Amino acid sequence: MAASELSLEGLKVWVAGHRGTVGSALLRRLPREGCTILTATRAELDLRRQEPVERWLDAHRPDVVILAAATVGGIHANSTRPAEFIADNLGIQQNIIHGAYQAGVRKLLFLGSSCIYPREAPQPMAEDSLLTGPLEPTNEWYAIAKIAGIKMCQAYRRQYGCDFIAAMPTNLYGPDDNFDLIQGHVAAAMIAKVHRAKQENAPELVIWGTGTPRREFLFADDLADGLVFLLKHYSEDGHINVGTGIDISIRELADLVVRIAGYEGRVVHDLSKPDGMPRKVMKVERINALGWRAPTDLETGFRRAYAWYCDNIETVRR
Ligand code: GFB
């Protein structure tokens, strides 16, 4: 590993997708590295269009690129907007990865997702489960795009010697998430709906599905820390998982947020909504063995995320 050590000090680091959950956490974490952070707003640069992306990269010449830009959403968004999820993400990846190669970027970090693994993958899911079976149908469009991104990084490494790496984060939560009740991921939607139920003194809180699916949740600021760690210390062909290795059921998640918010009504299930993958938890031995583990426990993280939501309720993304 010694040959791959990289200091970010004095380097220009482009965070593509700096307004998202991951990107904004990176903007909080990266200043500690002494690097210059580059960003481009959506109005300035449409990442789905190749020519402007290549021009932007040529003009700004970042040393490092973190590809945290993506069209994302929860189970409902994934299953109802398949064209956007596959086309936007393939386009963004293609434009940035190829553009980074052309612009001589020193290191690129591509962000995937735990949904790249087969629905029936042995749990916890190890990196070598990739492409061993059929995907979960509710998010296969997004998963296919992310798998293509991993393979692009590998291909550019093999053919051109680019130091392009791929990290697979698990389900995330934290500040600057999308708190939309329909489009968002379960963690943010849960925070928003429990808060609303409490404010309105609603007798019932409705959660989607049976509550039995199990998910692993990583605090966004922990992910940002893990990504900085990987940029500095990881330089291999294979993708690497970033998670906690700990899962809870959706019902346990609801109960946790209910307790944090102090909501006193009943939790009921809308069984017309999909459950999705029965269980999704990452094997995190590889990143742990390199010397990184997620520092924030679930209770602390959700307390911070809930407090952030309450403080920013007027301006949150939804
Ligand atoms: O985060 P999520 O939407 O997607 O979580 P996935 C879905 C699970 O939470 C299902 C339950 O079991 C839902 O039935 N759930 C309960 C809810 N209440 C709610 C709610 O109010 N909103 C939502 N959204 N779910 C995602 C993929 O899969 O995993 C993404 O869609 C990404 O593409 C991410 O890969 C890591 O965890 O099933």
Side-chain angles (χ1 to χ4, degrees):
M1 287 302 296
S4 65
E5 297 291 313
L6 174 75
S7 165
L8 299 179
E9 191 161 2
L11 300 188
K12 285 195 279 183
V13 180
W14 179 28
V15 179
H18 69 285
R19 292 258 166 91
T21 317
V22 181
S24 56
L26 282 163
L27 261 48
R28 291 189 289 276
R29 173 63 183 81
L30 280 169
R32 279 163 38 201
E33 298 301 314
C35 54
T36 302
I37 302 169
L38 306 181
T39 59
T41 63
R42 200 171 291 213
E44 288 162 351
L45 182 61
D46 183 348
L47 299 172
R48 295 166 301 183
R49 296 184 55 225
Q50 185 174 4
E51 211 254 320
V53 171
E54 291 183 357
R55 239 187 303 118
W56 194 91
L57 277 161
D58 189 45
H60 293 84
R61 297 271 157 185
D63 301 294
V64 174
V65 173
I66 307 179
L67 210 178
T71 291
V72 300
I75 193 166
H76 178 81
N78 268 269
S79 39
T80 53
R81 295 162 47 205
E84 281 172 76
F85 275 78
I86 194 160
D88 287 3
N89 290 314
L90 283 173
I92 292 168
Q93 294 161 201
Q94 151 74 22
N95 299 339
I96 295 181
I97 295 171
H98 187 69
Y101 155 63
Q102 284 181 320
V105 165
R106 235 166 108 180
K107 188 149 195 170
L108 177 142
L109 170 56
F110 170 72
L111 278 163
S113 160
S114 59
C115 68
I116 58 160
Y117 294 116
R119 178 180 162 89
E120 305 295 342
Q123 303 285 335
M125 301 177 296
E127 285 86 351
D128 62 9
S129 282
L130 183 66
L131 295 173
T132 54
L135 298 164
E136 156 62 35
T138 53
N139 57 34
E140 65 179 326
W141 322 96
Y142 183 71
I144 291 279
K146 291 295 181 183
I147 293 169
I150 296 172
K151 292 295 167 191
M152 272 194 83
C153 291
Q154 277 177 353
Y156 279 68
R157 173 181 290 276
R158 288 185 192 183
Q159 186 170 347
Y160 304 126
C162 298
D163 191 1
F164 291 179
I165 58 171
M168 297 305 114
T170 193
N171 287 42
L172 300 172
Y173 68 98
D176 295 304
D177 205 342
N178 176 2
F179 289 88
D180 189 278
L181 292 178
I182 308 296
Q183 301 289 327
H185 288 100
V186 63
M190 197 66 81
I191 287 172
K193 66 165 73 165
V194 171
H195 186 72
R196 190 169 73 177
K198 183 181 154 72
Q199 294 299 102
E200 293 175 354
N201 264 323
E204 283 183 351
L205 167 80
V206 182
I207 68 169
W208 296 355
T210 60
T212 57
R214 300 185 67 83
R215 295 286 183 274
E216 173 190 13
F217 295 100
L218 178 66
F219 192 53
D221 290 77
D222 287 0
L223 174 64
D225 189 63
L227 297 178
V228 169
F229 176 87
L230 290 174
L231 273 175
K232 290 162 71 174
H233 305 294
Y234 188 77
S235 185
E236 285 177 32
D237 185 76
H239 65 282
I240 185 161
N241 291 344
V242 190
T244 64
I246 300 165
D247 60 333
I248 59 168
S249 73
I250 295 297
R251 180 56 197 249
E252 286 167 331
L253 169 71
D255 291 342
L256 172 68
V257 179
V258 159
R259 185 161 51 76
I260 289 170
Y263 171 66
E264 289 177 349
R266 287 188 309 133
V267 176
V268 297
H269 295 263
D270 176 355
L271 299 179
S272 71
K273 295 288 197 298
D275 270 348
M277 198 144 151
R279 188 176 181 210
K280 227 176 355 175
V281 59
M282 298 273 212
K283 196 167 193 170
V284 287
E285 280 160 19
R286 280 188 75 196
I287 193 164
N288 288 170
L290 293 175
W292 186 87
R293 68 183 59 237
T296 310
D297 66 80
L298 212 57
E299 171 99 25
T300 307
F302 270 93
R303 282 193 183 280
R304 282 168 61 187
Y306 185 75
W308 184 92
Y309 177 75
C310 293
D311 289 345
N312 294 277
I313 194 156
E314 298 304 330
T315 54
V316 295
R317 269 195 299 148
R318 50 166 80 88

